[in-house]
Amino acid sequence: FIRVSDFEGTITLQATLDYNNELANWFDVYEYSSTSAVITDYVPVNLTGNFVWIRAVVTDYTTGTINFVNISY
């Protein structure tokens, strides 16, 4: 789940199959973008894959709050 308030920017969920996350080759598995308008939103996201690590990367951030990015398996 991704929950944002008055947010403008991009949140990209990235995953890797490598065990060492510091040297990992990360790839994008989902992108949430709100670069043209400030929005408040709650987005359920389903990812299918056998990943070792998952992370959220924020780019193009202008304003707002990321309330949470909740990942469970």
Side-chain angles (χ1 to χ4, degrees):
F1 296 102
I2 297 174
R3 171 84 168 116
V4 294
S5 300
D6 300 325
F7 178 76
E8 188 172 0
T10 301
I11 301 171
T12 304
L13 299 181
Q14 296 181 330
T16 186
L17 303 174
D18 299 327
Y19 286 102
N20 184 342
N21 66 339
E22 293 180 14
L23 303 173
N25 293 315
W26 294 93
F27 53 92
D28 297 348
V29 291
Y30 180 81
E31 183 176 282
Y32 174 82
S33 184
S34 160
T35 56
S36 61
V38 175
I39 62 173
T40 297
D41 205 1
Y42 177 79
V43 181
V45 177
N46 290 314
L47 302 176
T48 302
N50 189 16
F51 310 123
V52 177
W53 294 96
I54 298 175
R55 69 181 180 184
V57 177
V58 179
T59 55
D60 301 325
Y61 174 79
T62 307
T63 188
T65 302
I66 300 169
N67 301 102
F68 61 80
V69 176
N70 185 9
I71 298 173
S72 61
Y73 62 96

